[in-house]
Amino acid sequence: MEYLFLIILLVFMIGMMFFQTRKAKQQQEERKNFWSNLAPGTEIVTIGGLIGKVVEVDEQYEEIVLDSEGSLLRFTFRAISREYVRPAYVSDDDVDENGNPIDHSADQQDETQEAQPQQIEATVEETFTETDTDNQAPMPKQ
């Protein structure tokens, strides 16, 4: 019984090691493909957080030249973390308390309608009834 437990534990540990090394190899292959596909004009982020555009790639020495706001910097391939994707920015004024977008075009239409005074046309007709006398004013019809 004890040997069976040890064998199961040993198989489980070997299986975990196998899957971890397999995953590490896949990640390493992805990094090599990323480094080999770098081209001038690509925006990247270094492991230190520097954001810049690729100016030159030297595959022989595994070096890359970045332009970061006018400063040319040389890094090794291993210093490159990932490709830079600017995050989307949404102002707090553009979403409601639940995070749903607010439609400002409807608000602008309401404001333009409120700004224009509405004209109401009404007519009042004067009619006399048979009981009216000469000294009473005419009654408006409602």
Side-chain angles (χ1 to χ4, degrees):
M1 185 72 170
E2 292 177 17
Y3 293 116
L4 182 63
F5 178 72
L6 290 175
I7 292 172
I8 291 173
L9 186 62
L10 185 64
V11 169
F12 181 72
M13 288 176 58
I14 291 172
M16 293 224 3
M17 289 174 51
F18 172 74
F19 286 116
Q20 286 179 345
T21 56
R22 184 174 164 200
K23 185 176 179 181
K25 285 180 183 180
Q26 288 175 347
Q27 289 176 347
Q28 186 178 18
E29 187 67 30
E30 287 175 6
R31 264 187 261 125
K32 284 184 180 182
N33 288 336
F34 174 69
W35 293 336
S36 65
N37 293 330
L38 282 176
T42 306
E43 286 189 341
I44 59 168
V45 179
T46 65
I47 58 173
L50 181 86
I51 301 170
K53 274 191 179 178
V54 176
V55 176
E56 180 183 335
V57 178
D58 185 2
E59 290 187 23
Q60 180 181 0
Y61 295 106
E62 294 185 347
E63 293 179 343
I64 190 168
V65 177
L66 297 180
D67 178 14
S68 179
E69 295 185 7
S71 299
L72 294 179
L73 305 164
R74 184 175 296 274
F75 290 96
T76 63
F77 280 170
R78 291 191 172 108
I80 307 304
S81 173
R82 60 185 164 80
E83 188 171 355
Y84 178 67
V85 178
R86 183 175 293 267
Y89 173 77
V90 178
S91 172
D92 288 341
D93 297 334
D94 295 335
V95 294
D96 63 6
E97 61 274 353
N98 296 327
N100 299 322
I102 297 174
D103 186 18
H104 290 291
S105 61
D107 294 339
Q108 291 174 352
Q109 289 176 355
D110 291 341
E111 290 174 6
T112 56
Q113 289 176 356
E114 290 174 6
Q116 298 174 352
Q118 297 179 356
Q119 296 179 354
I120 300 174
E121 296 182 18
T123 57
V124 177
E125 296 179 13
E126 294 181 11
T127 58
F128 291 101
T129 61
E130 295 176 10
T131 58
D132 289 338
T133 59
D134 292 334
N135 58 359
Q136 288 183 340
M139 302 281 294
K141 183 180 182 181
Q142 292 184 357

